[in-house]
Amino acid sequence: MLNTLKNKITIGLVFLFTLLLLSGGVGIYNIYKLRKEAKGIIQANYETLNYCQGISVLLDSLPPQNNKQIEELIRLQQHNITETGEREATDNLLQHWNKLKQDYNIQTIYIIHGDLNLIERLNMQAIERKNSTAEKTADEALLIIIVISALVLLSALIFLFRFPNYVTMPLKKLTKGIKEIANKNYIHRINIQKDVEMIELAEA
């Protein structure tokens, strides 16, 4: 039966537990969302920057022994295209590299460095943009957590002030009725309609 003191207390505890889950769930969700955005920045754009820096270093050393390493880095970069304009720049990089292999000269090396700088610039701009988005998401998440926490706190305070009175009201009615009967006011009726335990006690 629902209308018992035990059930009322159980419902009250479930309500407080639900508030706790709500507050914790919102916080965990927003932290996960921020972590996912930060992880996306590291995995994509930072890897491209590492590839470009590796190619640039190898390009400035002796050419014959670095062909395979540079080609491997270019291949990795081709599979890590994430930004607008990056594919065209990577295609140009590969084209100029093939040209350099056929005719090694300083001018082509300068052109390749220009391709690398463009790819790096595109990814640095993307990192700044994504960082701004992550900061905005963090601000929004903080605001949501503050609002939810405030609502949870307010609900908990209202509950703590109202619930004890709600539970003890039948006891107060019963106590008042017993006092009336003790004062020989036998026409007084104890009006308890909902709480099973209190009805049984009042009848006794």
Side-chain angles (χ1 to χ4, degrees):
M1 288 180 291
L2 181 61
N3 293 320
T4 64
L5 284 175
K6 178 182 177 181
N7 286 340
K8 285 182 178 180
I9 293 173
T10 301
I11 291 171
L13 292 176
V14 169
F15 175 72
L16 289 176
F17 184 68
T18 302
L19 292 179
L20 180 62
L21 284 180
L22 176 63
S23 179
V26 170
I28 291 172
Y29 169 76
N30 284 282
I31 290 173
Y32 172 78
K33 187 177 179 181
L34 286 173
R35 179 180 176 274
K36 186 177 180 181
E37 290 187 4
K39 187 177 180 181
I41 294 175
I42 294 173
Q43 284 186 335
N45 302 106
Y46 282 2
E47 286 181 359
T48 289
L49 293 178
N50 287 332
Y51 298 152
C52 291
Q53 290 174 3
I55 294 172
S56 181
V57 170
L58 292 171
L59 201 62
D60 292 333
S61 59
L62 294 176
Q65 61 189 22
N66 297 324
N67 286 2
K68 291 183 179 181
Q69 296 179 51
I70 291 177
E71 288 177 355
E72 175 62 16
L73 290 173
I74 293 176
R75 186 189 67 80
L76 291 173
Q77 169 56 22
Q78 286 178 308
H79 291 84
N80 195 47
I81 304 297
T82 56
E83 308 306 325
T84 302
E86 187 176 357
R87 182 169 299 281
E88 292 78 3
T90 302
D91 290 342
N92 290 336
L93 172 64
L94 179 60
Q95 179 182 351
H96 294 142
W97 166 250
N98 290 330
K99 180 180 179 181
L100 182 67
K101 288 193 299 180
Q102 296 173 1
D103 179 22
Y104 182 81
N105 62 79
I106 299 299
Q107 184 64 32
T108 306
I109 291 178
Y110 288 152
I111 294 175
I112 292 176
H113 276 299
D115 296 331
L116 294 172
N117 289 336
L118 176 58
I119 295 172
E120 289 179 341
R121 185 165 66 252
L122 291 172
N123 282 270
M124 286 300 297
Q125 291 172 351
I127 290 174
E128 293 176 0
R129 184 176 65 253
K130 292 176 182 179
N131 184 60
S132 298
T133 302
E135 289 180 355
K136 183 179 179 181
T137 302
D139 293 338
E140 292 175 352
L142 180 60
L143 179 61
I144 291 173
I145 291 174
I146 290 174
V147 171
I148 293 295
S149 299
L151 291 175
V152 168
L153 179 60
L154 180 61
S155 300
L157 289 175
I158 293 174
F159 175 82
L160 290 175
F161 280 111
R162 297 291 296 275
F163 186 71
N165 186 57
Y166 173 70
V167 172
T168 58
M169 183 61 68
L171 289 173
K172 292 180 180 178
K173 289 182 179 180
L174 181 59
T175 302
K176 180 180 179 182
I178 292 173
K179 288 181 179 179
E180 291 292 334
I181 294 172
N183 292 329
K184 300 182 180 181
N185 181 12
Y186 299 117
I187 63 173
H188 181 80
R189 294 291 178 267
I190 302 175
N191 185 21
I192 300 176
Q193 300 177 351
K194 295 182 178 181
D195 299 279
V196 176
E197 298 99 328
M198 292 297 101
I199 292 174
E200 292 177 352
L201 186 57
E203 288 175 351

